[in-house]
Structure formats: C-alpha cells, structure tokens
Amino acid sequence: MSAPVIVWLRRDLRLVEQEDRPVLILPPRRVRDHRGRRCGSCRRGEERRRSLLHRPAAGVGALARCTRPVIACLAGTVRGWGVALALACDLRIAARSTVLRLPEAAEGRLAGGGVTQRLTRIVGPSRAMELLLLGTPVPAPTALAWGLVSQVVA
C-alpha cells in the first residue's frame, strides 16, 4: 500500500468522524494492491515516505475501527493490501469481473493487515488456509458464495 493511499485513508477517516458523515465509500481505485509504487507525493521526503510505507497495517486497523459504516467497491484484480482494505470494510460490493488474490504465499510471505484473522472469520479456517497458502484467485461469484463479498453487480 503506497504512502498516498495511507494518507488519503487517514484523512477521509478523520473527515467521516469529524463531520458526522453517515458512511465512507472506498472507490475501486483505492482498493487495489499498491505495494511499492512510487508517485510524486511520496517522493517529497525519504524519511516521511519510509515512515508511512512501513505502517500500512495501521491504516487498515484505523479503517476497521471506524465507527461509521465503510463500503468497499471492488473492480478488476484486488490483491495483497487491497484485499486487506476490503476485508476491514463492513460491506464489500464487487463487479462481476472482480478477482480477489493473496499472492503473498507465492512470494514466501504471509498476508498482513489482519487478513489472516478476518479471512478466517469470514470464510472459515479451511478456505482461509487455501487462499493464504496457495494464493488461489477467487472470482466474484465464488467470493459471493463464500461470503467474501456482500453483493456482485454487473
């Protein structure tokens, strides 16, 4: 997850709480895997960038603790930290073409941001192990049947 996404997420969470907004909706462009991508706003200062990039789990945790309902809109391939963000939301609405993936296993890592705990609670231990250890892609209709998404739209 990139530093700009963490900054955006914290800003919007603060606004939702302060301005008494009824709901926070995460658009598809915010719910994707942003690992390692660099952009203008994270080149400003190496120290600031490093401190933000090493705390993506804190952003996911803040999202999970939001007192307002949070809805994730999913489209395309959602992987890694994008799945972590989606699982921390109260509702997940996916386009029919959406595919969820946890590729960390293929890279020799375990998914972070509370994915292991949230995924196990949502789909059960057997399916969670399959997704976490094999990195099996899950298309939207299957994700709906498993309870990973709340609704699939055209």
Side-chain angles (χ1 to χ4, degrees), residues 10-82:
R10 289 186 179 174
R11 184 200 66 209
D12 275 12
L13 286 170
R14 197 170 43 250
L15 286 174
V16 164
E17 297 291 341
Q18 289 173 353
E19 296 180 4
D20 199 30
R21 292 183 186 174
V23 67
L24 172 62
I25 298 176
L26 300 180
R29 70 180 180 279
R30 298 287 189 201
V31 187
R32 290 201 182 109
D33 177 30
H34 300 278
R35 89 189 135 102
R37 293 191 186 150
R38 295 194 63 159
C39 61
S41 61
C42 58
R43 287 190 192 118
R44 288 188 192 130
E46 191 64 28
E47 185 176 314
R48 176 175 176 262
R49 183 186 68 81
R50 197 175 304 130
S51 70
L52 287 171
L53 283 175
H54 291 357
R55 290 186 276 146
V60 174
L63 182 64
R65 289 187 302 275
C66 183
T67 60
R68 305 285 190 260
V70 181
I71 302 170
C73 301
L74 311 175
T77 300
V78 180
R79 45 179 278 157
W81 283 106

Side-chain angles (χ1 to χ4, degrees), residues 81 102-113 115-116 128-129 132-133:
W81 283 106
L102 293 167
E104 289 86 353
E107 299 168 359
R109 299 180 295 124
L110 194 58
V115 168
T116 55
M129 288 296 265
L132 290 166
L133 299 178

